[in-house]
Amino acid sequence: MSEQNKAVVRRWLEEAFNQGKVQVLDEICADDYVEYDPAYPGGQLRRDGVKQAIPIYRSAFPDIRFVIEDMIAEGDKVAVYWTMTATNLGAFRGVPPTGKRAEAEGMTLVRLRNGKSIEARSCWDATGLRQRMGTPPAEAGERA
């Protein structure tokens, strides 16, 4: 089961985020899925919100790339340590592109039920990344 759970998390990062195939979230995330991430306004999004956010981020950061550095699975949880690189080449939250490239590292703990993600909790320095890129922070009530 742990290898199957790791495969779900791998698809979450590689297919949904790196390739922009947001429809994969319908396959690998339960209907009641919640993603907690400091990059999101209010710090969390439901599955459909994540499906809307990914294209927004990929438009502003078309070369965004997550690399899985380490992954551990136990029971119904998978912990993944990742690095992310991106260049701000498109407008983001109404601000013209800065052209700056930055890197961040973080960890995400994913909880699964019946082979589907039900919760993802990411911990990383989204504010620091935005400062290095010169992009604005999320405002309460914004979509992504």
Side-chain angles (χ1 to χ4, degrees):
M1 182 60 101
S2 61
E3 288 305 312
Q4 292 170 330
N5 287 348
K6 286 165 106 176
V8 168
V9 173
R10 192 170 286 110
R11 290 185 73 195
W12 172 68
L13 281 174
E14 293 179 358
E15 293 180 41
F17 284 90
N18 287 350
Q19 298 171 27
K21 298 178 181 176
V22 296
Q23 70 279 6
V24 76
L25 296 176
D26 292 330
E27 296 174 33
I28 64 170
C29 298
D31 292 340
D32 59 346
Y33 175 80
V34 180
E35 191 167 303
Y36 300 90
D37 189 311
Y40 297 145
Q44 70 181 48
L45 289 175
R46 307 281 301 175
R47 183 179 70 186
D48 287 342
V50 176
K51 287 169 60 178
Q52 293 172 13
I54 289 172
I56 292 169
Y57 284 103
R58 291 184 54 78
S59 175
F61 311 98
D63 66 345
I64 192 168
R65 174 111 174 106
F66 286 85
V67 174
I68 296 170
E69 303 293 346
D70 200 1
M71 193 181 310
I72 298 169
E74 185 174 325
D76 66 346
K77 294 184 180 95
V78 176
V80 60
Y81 166 60
W82 47 262
T83 54
M84 183 269 296
T85 55
T87 310
N88 182 213
L89 299 174
F92 187 64
R93 296 195 172 110
V95 175
T98 65
K100 293 182 180 177
R101 182 172 178 80
E103 181 176 310
E105 58 183 35
M107 293 192 71
T108 303
L109 181 63
V110 181
R111 194 163 52 98
L112 298 99
R113 177 182 64 227
N114 300 323
K116 288 192 172 192
S117 297
I118 58 172
E119 178 182 77
R121 292 184 178 269
S122 294
C123 181
W124 66 287
D125 184 11
T127 301
L129 178 74
R130 287 191 178 118
Q131 288 171 343
R132 290 188 298 279
M133 279 197 182
T135 57
E139 297 290 331
E142 279 186 316
R143 299 287 288 166

